């Protein structure tokens, strides 16, 4: 009643290293040095480990909070508090769950533009699988929802606590790179190759140094050395060689970041090389430089020297590559426009009527005709179609939509039409439509026992690239929109991207380009690109649709076929709330 806030219960306490406070109200026997990092942990044991590691690695921590059961103070409360705290520059989080994921999204999307936020989110796997009527629901999961939420909010996700500290060592100490071009300077070929692979795998580019830089480096190294990038100084390289070569590489206009790698040979001390790295870094404080000191002999002294100078030192090449990649991702996020949520003309009342009729009939799925009508109401292009209940109606509908046509069975008892022979393709004449209708009805009855008469008659659109736009509702996060390669390959390839509703124009643009098969859409070997702008608009219209109608639980627009000049939905499936 006095307005006192409570952290916990069931937590390991709180810590504030500020000289004005100096409080260690945790079970930890030691306290890390004071610095710009704030930490949240939902696990007391992991929190203890984080504090120990921070002290060992020399990472300065200003505040640490083990939140425990969170009946009062939550992680979101702390984020809002740290948003106003000038001592906090970087935030690390170990999470097992989101208390209020939508609020977390709103807070971090704003806070992350001023203070980088890193999260280890536990619970990546789900025990068991749930049956789902749509591809989107089958492919989604709690972890995908977390991935989508964190990506849109600009929060960088670490897969392990080790990665979390790889990032924490770099971010308070280094400037952001200007781009993704990395130079590597090493005294051994093996580590240089591993670093190159790790950088390229993380989205960094190990490009050649300029001819001028290569000539200047060549003058300072033996003939056996490699000067292109990665630069291999060979094992005889001295501390002076490191200092001179790193200084030259840092001046190269094509270099945005540098990794100095060293493994101690006989007669050369890690501390001396660390001194050389520090001296070179002082010549270009606007270029991030990290070091990899491998081996055991004398390395600890070198690491201490690097930490004292504010240069991140890592034991393994992959850690250095991850840290620079994270710096570059954060730079990209800061440069990313926030985007706008578009509103398109739509017939909301028509969709309300369709949903109400299906619910009144006790159905949990829309027929395909109803599904396509929903898309039409929101301006999502569809291939011309008509519903038919007899062979004669089907023949008339074919003349109206234009040949060639496809016939598709319509029944809320059949989810995947092609699995039961419920699709007849490429019908070019009236007689083919008559015979195709009879064949479809007979085949479905034989395979399912369902006596279906209603079919969808739709114009065939040959060619194009098949994609999918989908939606499922996560119980905590809300609607998740999906884009990927479509048709029968969506489950086999699982090349899909999720984002949290609502989508902005920037979200839609990025989703399409993040699928692994984007080159197929963009055009390969001289092929024309599909209508990417049209795909982006469909995603935004679909976002508006699911936002307007909470009764829509799952959606698949599959295939959504993309041509160079248009896109068109050939099939759609909706599961609705009863």
């Amino acid at each position: 009643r006095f307005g006192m806030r409570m952290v916990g219960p069931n937590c390991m306490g709180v810590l504030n290293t500020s000289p004005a406070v100096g409080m260690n109200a945790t079970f930890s026997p030691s306290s890390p040095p004071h610095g710009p990092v704030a930490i949240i942990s939902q696990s007391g044991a992991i929190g203890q480990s984080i504090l120990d590691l921070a002290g060992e690695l020399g990472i300065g921590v200003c505040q640490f909070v083990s939140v425990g059961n969170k009946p009062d103070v939550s992680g979101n409360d702390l984020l809002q508090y740290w948003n106003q705290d000038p001592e906090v520059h970087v935030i690390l989080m170990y999470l097992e769950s989101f208390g209020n994921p939508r609020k977390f999204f709103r807070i971090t999307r704003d806070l992350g533009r001023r203070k980088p936020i890193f999260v280890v989110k536990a619970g990546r796997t789900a025990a068991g699988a749930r049956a789902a009527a749509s591809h989107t629901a089958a492919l989604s999961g709690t972890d995908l929802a977390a991935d989508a939420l964190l990506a849109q909010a600009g929060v960088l996700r670490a897969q392990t606590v080790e990665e979390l500290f790889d990032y924490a060592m770099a971010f308070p100490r280094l400037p952001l790179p200007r781009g993704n071009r990395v130079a590597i300077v090493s005294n051994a070929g093996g580590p240089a190759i591993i670093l190159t692979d790790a950088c390229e795998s993380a989205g960094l580019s190990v490009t050649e140094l300029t001819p001028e830089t290569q000539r200047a480096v060549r003058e300072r190294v033996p003939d056996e050395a490699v000067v292109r990038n990665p630069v291999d100084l060979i094992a005889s390289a001295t501390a002076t060689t490191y200092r001179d070569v790193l200084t030259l590489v840092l001046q190269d206009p094509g270099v945005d970041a540098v990794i100095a790698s060293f493994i101690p040979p006989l007669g050369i001390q890690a501390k001396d090389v660390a001194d050389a790295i520090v001296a070179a870094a002082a010549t270009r404080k606007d270029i991030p430089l990290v070091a990899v000191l491998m081996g055991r002999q004398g390395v600890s002294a070198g690491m201490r020297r690097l930490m004292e100078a504010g240069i991140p030192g890592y034991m393994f090449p992959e850690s250095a590559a991850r840290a620079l990649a994270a710096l570059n991702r954060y730079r990209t996020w800061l440069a990313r426009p926030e985007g706008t949520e578009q509103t398109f003309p739509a017939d909301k009342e028509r969709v309300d009527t369709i949903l109400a009729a299906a619910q009144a009939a006790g159905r949990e799925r829309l027929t395909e005709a109803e599904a396509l009508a929903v898309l039409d109401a929101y301006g999502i292009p569809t291939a011309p179609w008509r519903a038919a209940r007899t062979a004669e109606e089907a023949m008339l509908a074919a003349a109206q939509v234009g040949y060639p046509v496809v016939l598709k069975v319509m029944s809320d008892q059949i989810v995947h039409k092609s699995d039961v022979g419920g699709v007849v393709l490429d019908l070019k004449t009236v007689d083919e439509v008559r015979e195709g209708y009879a064949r479809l009805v007979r085949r479905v009855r034989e395979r399912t026992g369902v006596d279906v008469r209603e079919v969808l008659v739709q114009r065939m659109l040959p060619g194009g690239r098949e994609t999918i736009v989908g939606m499922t509702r996560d119980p905590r996060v809300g609607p998740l929109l999906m884009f990927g390669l479509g048709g029968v390959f969506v489950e086999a390839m699982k090349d899909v991207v999720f984002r949290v509703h609502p989508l902005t124009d920037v979200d839609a643009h990025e989703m399409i380009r993040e699928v692994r098969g984007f080159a197929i859409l963009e055009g390969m070997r001289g092929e024309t690109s599909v209508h990417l702008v049209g795909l982006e608009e469909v995603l935004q219209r679909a976002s508006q649709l699911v936002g307007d109608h909470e009764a829509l639980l799952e959606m698949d627009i599959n295939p959504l076929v993309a041509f160079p000049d248009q896109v068109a939905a050939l099939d759609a499936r909706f599961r609705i709330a009863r």
Side-chain angles (χ1 to χ4, degrees):
R1 70 178 183 272
F2 294 107
M4 181 178 289
R5 303 299 301 271
M6 179 181 69
V7 175
N10 191 25
C11 71
M12 68 167 287
V14 299
L15 176 147
N16 188 327
T17 67
S18 171
V21 180
M23 176 181 67
N24 185 352
T26 73
F27 300 136
S28 176
S30 60
S31 179
H34 178 63
V37 177
I39 301 172
I40 296 173
S41 178
Q42 281 187 329
S43 163
I46 296 295
Q48 176 70 67
S49 174
I50 287 174
L51 287 178
D52 289 345
L53 277 170
E56 182 180 332
L57 297 173
I59 295 173
V61 175
C62 53
Q63 295 173 42
F64 166 87
V65 180
S66 169
V67 291
N69 291 351
K70 303 184 295 183
D72 184 19
V73 173
S74 68
N76 288 338
D77 293 328
L78 290 165
L79 290 174
Q80 289 177 301
Y81 172 68
W82 288 336
N83 190 21
Q84 309 299 324
D85 191 329
E87 288 197 351
V88 175
H89 296 279
V90 177
I91 298 169
L92 309 183
M93 306 182 73
Y94 171 80
L95 299 181
E96 294 171 353
S97 64
F98 294 105
N100 184 334
R102 301 295 294 189
K103 185 177 181 181
F104 175 87
F105 177 70
R106 291 193 301 270
I107 294 169
T108 54
R109 187 167 54 177
D110 173 63
L111 171 58
R113 291 193 173 273
R114 292 182 298 281
K115 304 180 182 185
I117 305 167
F118 303 97
V119 169
V120 172
K121 171 65 173 63
R124 294 189 64 86
T125 59
R130 64 186 173 98
S134 71
H135 294 297
T136 311
L139 291 169
S140 70
T142 301
D143 196 57
L144 282 171
D147 267 341
L149 184 146
L150 295 173
Q152 280 173 272
V155 176
L156 279 73
R157 183 170 188 173
Q159 304 305 315
T160 64
V161 174
E162 178 187 2
E163 281 189 32
L164 191 70
F165 278 93
D166 290 342
Y167 303 157
M169 289 176 67
F171 266 74
R173 297 166 169 165
L174 297 178
L176 294 179
R178 298 169 303 192
N180 71 336
R181 301 167 300 178
V182 177
I184 298 166
V185 177
S186 175
N187 69 337
I193 294 170
I194 294 173
L195 273 167
T196 300
D197 289 343
C199 287
E200 294 283 348
S201 298
L204 302 172
S205 176
V206 182
T207 57
E208 281 197 20
L209 303 175
T210 64
E212 293 78 13
T213 302
Q214 291 188 44
R215 282 195 296 270
V217 171
R218 173 57 67 196
E219 294 173 359
R220 290 163 174 81
V221 298
D223 292 341
E224 297 85 354
V226 178
V227 300
R228 297 176 65 180
N229 192 22
V231 177
D232 183 359
L233 302 176
I234 71 173
S236 61
T238 65
T240 301
T241 307
Y242 262 95
R243 183 197 63 206
D244 292 347
V245 171
L246 284 170
T247 300
L248 291 169
V249 169
L250 283 164
Q251 303 302 320
D252 191 301
V255 170
D256 301 312
V258 176
I259 302 175
S261 172
F262 174 74
I263 184 163
L266 289 173
I268 301 174
Q269 301 300 314
K271 184 180 182 303
D272 294 336
V273 173
D275 286 335
I277 293 171
V278 171
T283 66
R284 284 299 300 269
K285 294 187 177 181
D286 59 325
I287 301 289
L289 185 152
V290 301
V292 179
L293 302 187
M294 303 179 70
R296 308 288 296 181
Q297 189 67 33
V299 165
S300 58
M303 287 291 195
R304 284 195 298 274
R305 178 68 183 102
L306 293 172
M307 285 192 293
E308 290 168 0
I311 296 175
Y314 299 97
M315 292 181 60
F316 300 105
E318 296 84 356
S319 296
R322 279 195 297 259
L324 286 182
L327 284 166
N328 189 58
R329 288 204 307 275
Y330 187 61
R331 174 194 63 83
T332 303
W333 162 253
L334 292 179
R336 176 188 187 268
E338 293 191 28
T340 56
E341 184 182 349
Q342 305 282 347
T343 300
F344 301 91
D347 191 346
K348 184 176 182 297
E349 291 72 20
R350 182 184 178 192
V351 176
D352 287 334
T353 301
I354 293 171
L355 296 179
Q359 290 170 325
R363 291 189 279 121
E364 67 171 13
R365 298 191 186 98
L366 301 183
T367 67
E368 186 162 354
E370 291 170 334
L372 292 174
V374 167
L375 300 187
D376 288 340
Y378 273 74
I380 297 173
T382 61
W385 61 276
R386 296 286 188 278
R389 294 180 176 274
T390 66
E392 288 71 22
E393 288 184 7
M395 291 184 288
L396 177 61
Q400 292 172 335
V401 302
Y403 288 98
V405 299
V406 56
L407 303 184
K408 304 176 186 178
V409 66
M410 287 202 294
S411 170
D412 63 345
Q413 300 179 60
I414 298 172
V415 177
H416 299 295
K417 299 179 288 294
S418 59
D419 292 348
V420 299
V423 180
V424 181
L425 301 172
D426 201 21
L427 305 176
K428 299 183 178 68
T429 67
V430 171
D431 291 339
E432 288 183 3
V433 171
R434 181 190 296 108
E435 190 278 331
Y437 177 87
R439 177 158 39 103
L440 183 148
V441 170
R442 182 177 63 253
R443 194 161 55 191
V444 171
R445 185 189 304 117
E446 290 172 351
R447 296 185 182 183
T448 69
V450 178
D451 188 15
V452 176
R453 297 290 174 179
E454 188 170 20
V455 301
L456 188 91
V457 183
Q458 190 174 50
R459 185 195 300 168
M460 283 196 66
L461 297 178
R465 298 285 185 266
E466 292 190 349
T467 68
I468 179 172
V469 169
M471 182 277 300
T472 187
R473 290 186 186 269
D474 183 272
R476 302 299 303 277
V477 176
L480 288 176
L481 278 296
M482 182 186 82
F483 176 80
L485 298 182
V488 298
F489 301 106
V490 59
E491 287 184 345
M493 296 177 66
K494 296 180 172 61
D495 187 7
V496 296
V497 174
F498 283 87
R499 286 291 188 274
V500 175
H501 175 274
L503 297 184
T504 67
D505 52 352
V506 174
D507 292 326
H509 179 87
E510 291 177 346
M511 288 176 73
I512 293 168
R513 286 152 182 82
E514 286 181 17
V515 295
R516 297 188 302 275
F518 174 65
I520 297 173
L521 304 177
E522 190 179 30
M524 300 175 62
R525 297 182 179 179
E527 293 181 338
T528 304
S529 170
V530 303
H531 191 31
L532 299 175
V533 173
L535 289 174
E536 293 173 17
E537 184 173 314
V538 168
L539 276 167
Q540 294 172 84
R541 288 179 179 272
S543 176
Q544 181 179 336
L545 166 64
V546 302
D548 285 348
H549 303 280
E550 291 188 4
L552 297 176
L553 302 181
E554 294 176 15
M555 172 186 74
D556 277 353
I557 306 172
N558 180 38
L560 174 68
V561 182
F563 302 90
D565 59 346
Q566 64 169 328
V567 297
L570 305 188
D571 202 348
R573 183 181 300 120
F574 288 93
R575 186 170 74 87
I576 63 173
R578 290 188 176 182

